[in-house]
Amino acid sequence: MNDLNPDLSVDLLRRIDAACDRFEESWRGGLVPKIEDYLALFRSDEKSSLLDALQSLQQELTLRNPINSETGPKTLEFIAVESSDDPPAPQTREFLEESQNEKINDNKTARVTFRVIAGPHEGLGFTFHEHNTLFAGRLPRAQLRLEKDLHFSRHHFRLEVNPPTCFLMDLNSRNGTFVNGERVKDRFLLDGDIVSGGRTKMVVSIFDPQEVKSKPATTSPKAAEVRQGPAPIPTKRPPSIPPKSEAARKIPEEHAGDSPVSIPGYEIHEQIGAGDLGVVYRARKLSSNELCALKVLSPAAHTDEASIQAFLRQASVLNQLQHPHIIRLLELGAAGQNIFLATEYVGSYNWDDFVSRYTPEKRVRIACGVMSQILSALGYAHDRSLVHRDVKPGNILITRKDEKLVAKLADFGIAKQYTTAGMSQVTRDGDVLGSLPFMSPDQFLNSRDARPTCDLYSAGATLYWMLTGYEPIPLDGHPCKFLAILEAPPTPIQQHNPSVPDALARIVHCALEKTPEKRFSSAAEMRHQIKAFLK
């Protein structure tokens, strides 16, 4: 998409980008999407630009992810890319019957499908075979755009899909989101549920190959639509998400007590941290006698062996990152039911304690120096097509070497790669803890497709916090924290710290722009401007 003609309209670029996203999603789901089906959804004067983009994407996907020729390609289930100018062609909006879907997928692939059964967009449908996040609303950037339903909010609700699990969260919409007639704030969706908002109703179909033998006949959409009362609550929460009461950062049961988990080749000392993804210990790697931070993950209870192996393969790319301001990876591996990674150990300063001894002017120089080093690390990673996706104060370790401050970026890529093996945990108020205040709106809306500009937003939010001690957008007390990230402007930084120079304030707020195109074009550009304040 970077090669598209810059003279094209913003609306057309967005629709082409959405078409390419769905093309790639279908491809990665093991299907063979037909370019001509996508072209049918665009005007004749737009088809040339779309064709160029899709052909380029198809060539890239073929080189990187060839479809298995032994099993043969699958038929494309459904394509739904809506143009604001021309409605989708009728043949592309017809939804395949469930029996056809099961035959196409050979009863082996879990999937979640949404089909609009009432409202201005009746007939529109979406099928998901892998983890994805999207939001529904009237804005052009909505992946599930329902602009013809004027009773729908700009940001109406968010979906996180990890087949066969699906979680819906209302974004404080004006007219509310309903599941089977009950207004909800958030809800795990079940097969046959009717989701409605504004004048739109859509039925949810969930296919789980693990339950296909024991599952009773699926409730028909019409029967589900007239069913009285709220949807039944699952007897147990879907396995990929812990109950809300367990979302706080605490030690998993197998790690509790005085006997920490045993990892061959490591001498484990004390626990130094714990989070949703596991427990971190200070340890010693016996083969090199090197101190390290050993993070032990336990995804075996949440996913299958194939996903664990995929996590290890994806995480192994971190071994390619050799940069003075990126925590060095020592080893990735598995031991029993645990996945672990070992990184260099860095004893870090507490930021507030460290800067409290300096004047406000000195604090500005120190913060800019730290962020300059972090942007150097981000630029290095971005050049290698890697996006951190979790830049925040807690992932920046600051130490002193040869009387100079050294900042190192930690947990590089883990959050994104772990998300692909399960739900992202960016779904419910209170579950995100440290990340949401530093997350860009575009990453929240589509975490799967986070770009380098997401890291630049997070870097700007982190620099804001370093300079002031406050988060850019106050989330406490807001009726919907997620909607605040999408719509609320950041508090002017000089309200919290008048010592911040005007030029630096403009740099920070440029990084915090809601629209990615309005931020810096690269980490190098942002770093170049910040370096002026190191003198």
Side-chain angles (χ1 to χ4, degrees):
M1 292 302 295
N2 294 331
D3 298 328
L4 285 177
N5 185 346
D7 295 329
L8 298 178
S9 70
V10 173
D11 177 69
L12 177 56
L13 286 172
R14 285 172 174 165
R15 289 189 286 116
I16 290 177
D17 192 56
C20 288
D21 285 347
R22 287 184 170 82
F23 187 98
E24 182 176 357
E25 179 185 343
S26 297
W27 186 284
R28 295 186 185 281
L31 309 173
V32 181
K34 297 178 180 179
I35 289 179
E36 55 267 29
D37 289 334
Y38 288 81
L39 295 177
L41 306 178
F42 282 69
R43 297 196 313 258
S44 57
D45 60 320
E46 301 172 336
K47 292 182 178 181
S48 176
S49 300
L50 175 64
L51 179 61
D52 290 342
L54 288 177
Q55 286 180 333
S56 176
L57 176 60
Q58 186 180 54
Q59 181 179 9
E60 178 184 354
L61 291 172
T62 301
L63 292 174
R64 289 189 303 167
N65 304 284
I67 291 179
N68 191 330
S69 58
E70 296 179 1
T71 59
K74 299 177 183 178
T75 304
L76 180 62
E77 276 193 53
F78 185 72
I79 302 170
V81 182
E82 187 157 326
S83 165
S84 59
D85 300 307
D86 297 322
Q91 64 269 24
T92 63
R93 293 181 61 171
E94 291 178 358
F95 205 83
L96 298 177
E97 296 294 332
E98 184 66 19
S99 60
Q100 291 177 298
N101 286 341
E102 293 182 10
K103 183 180 293 185
I104 287 170
N105 287 273
D106 198 25
N107 289 336
K108 294 181 180 179
T109 305
R111 59 189 179 274
V112 177
T113 296
F114 295 87
R115 176 164 58 97
V116 180
I117 59 174
H121 298 273
E122 183 175 353
L124 189 67
F126 301 86
T127 296
F128 300 92
H129 300 85
E130 59 185 22
H131 181 270
N132 210 329
T133 55
L134 66 152
F135 87 98
R138 289 188 291 107
L139 291 180
R141 61 180 173 174
Q143 296 95 332
L144 209 165
R145 186 183 181 192
L146 302 170
E147 81 279 7
K148 296 179 182 177
D149 189 342
L150 300 182
H151 296 271
F152 230 68
S153 294
R154 297 166 66 249
H155 297 100
H156 201 97
F157 63 79
R158 182 182 188 270
L159 289 169
E160 181 164 9
V161 182
N162 190 38
T165 301
C166 183
F167 187 81
L168 176 147
M169 178 181 62
D170 180 70
L171 294 175
N172 202 33
S173 58
R174 183 176 67 254
N175 295 317
T177 299
F178 297 80
V179 177
N180 305 319
E182 176 193 10
R183 186 164 184 166
V184 298
K185 178 182 178 182
D186 53 44
R187 172 72 61 89
F188 285 98
L189 298 179
L190 304 176
D191 183 45
D193 278 348
I194 299 293
V195 178
S196 57
R199 297 288 185 264
T200 299
K201 288 185 178 181
M202 60 184 73
V203 64
V204 182
S205 299
I206 299 177
F207 176 75
D208 184 356
Q210 300 299 321
E211 298 181 1
V212 71
K213 293 183 178 181
S214 59
K215 184 178 179 181
T218 303
T219 305
S220 68
K222 290 297 181 182
E225 188 173 359
V226 299
R227 142 175 99 191
Q228 298 296 317
I233 302 299
T235 56
K236 63 178 181 178
R237 193 167 288 254
S240 55
I241 298 187
K244 192 167 185 178
S245 62
E246 297 176 18
R249 298 177 179 270
K250 64 179 185 180
I251 306 171
E253 186 175 336
E254 67 266 30
H255 296 150
D258 297 329
S259 300
V261 64
S262 175
I263 302 294
Y266 290 87
E267 178 184 88
I268 298 179
H269 301 165
E270 75 274 14
Q271 177 183 320
I272 57 176
D276 295 333
L277 302 184
V279 179
V280 183
Y281 300 96
R282 187 172 67 89
R284 185 177 300 277
K285 186 174 174 63
L286 298 179
S287 62
S288 62
N289 202 36
E290 183 177 4
L291 278 179
C292 64
L294 187 69
K295 174 176 282 188
V296 181
L297 312 175
S298 302
H302 308 309
T303 184
D304 57 19
E305 183 65 24
S307 296
I308 294 176
Q309 294 304 319
F311 167 78
L312 290 173
R313 286 193 300 271
Q314 294 167 4
S316 66
V317 73
L318 296 176
N319 195 41
Q320 304 172 25
L321 296 175
Q322 302 295 327
H323 189 275
H325 299 297
I326 294 177
I327 289 293
R328 182 165 46 91
L329 181 69
L330 302 179
E331 184 180 7
L332 286 157
Q337 294 298 307
N338 296 303
I339 294 177
F340 69 89
L341 66 131
T343 63
E344 65 174 313
Y345 177 79
V346 176
S348 179
Y349 293 113
N350 175 281
W351 175 258
D352 288 332
D353 293 342
F354 180 73
V355 298
S356 63
R357 70 190 76 171
Y358 296 110
T359 64
E361 292 76 16
K362 181 69 172 178
R363 178 172 181 158
V364 167
R365 291 197 297 275
I366 294 174
C368 289
V370 167
M371 188 50 61
S372 176
Q373 295 180 21
I374 296 303
L375 288 168
S376 174
L378 289 174
Y380 171 87
H382 295 167
D383 288 342
R384 287 153 181 77
S385 301
L386 293 172
V387 183
H388 189 283
R389 291 174 171 86
D390 198 20
V391 178
K392 60 183 179 182
N395 280 337
I396 297 176
L397 306 181
I398 304 171
T399 188
R400 193 182 292 275
K401 183 178 181 180
D402 298 330
E403 299 304 317
K404 294 183 179 180
L405 287 182
V406 177
K408 298 209 173 195
L409 190 56
D411 279 353
F412 208 102
I414 298 301
K416 187 263 178 183
Q417 289 158 357
Y418 202 82
T419 294
T420 61
M423 295 291 266
S424 74
Q425 299 302 305
V426 188
T427 48
R428 301 172 299 286
D429 285 354
D431 283 4
V432 181
L433 298 177
S435 298
L436 187 61
F438 304 94
M439 182 183 294
S440 69
D442 35 314
Q443 183 175 337
F444 169 70
L445 294 175
N446 190 356
S447 58
R448 181 180 65 90
D449 194 34
R451 305 293 175 89
T453 48
C454 294
D455 282 348
L456 300 187
Y457 179 99
S458 300
T462 300
L463 179 56
Y464 185 110
W465 178 87
M466 287 179 167
L467 292 168
T468 67
Y470 292 89
E471 298 160 356
I473 300 173
L475 301 182
D476 291 341
H478 198 282
C480 179
K481 297 179 181 179
F482 304 103
L483 191 62
I485 294 297
L486 296 175
E487 298 183 350
T491 304
I493 191 170
Q494 290 168 321
Q495 286 189 18
H496 294 306
N497 184 356
S499 299
V500 174
D502 292 344
L504 181 57
R506 288 192 293 269
I507 292 173
V508 173
H509 284 281
C510 176
L512 295 174
E513 286 283 353
K514 301 289 187 188
T515 305
E517 293 77 14
K518 293 183 178 180
R519 298 173 203 151
F520 296 100
S521 61
S522 67
E525 181 188 4
M526 184 175 174
R527 180 171 181 253
H528 175 74
Q529 295 203 26
I530 285 177
K531 287 178 70 175
F533 299 92
L534 302 184
K535 300 177 181 179

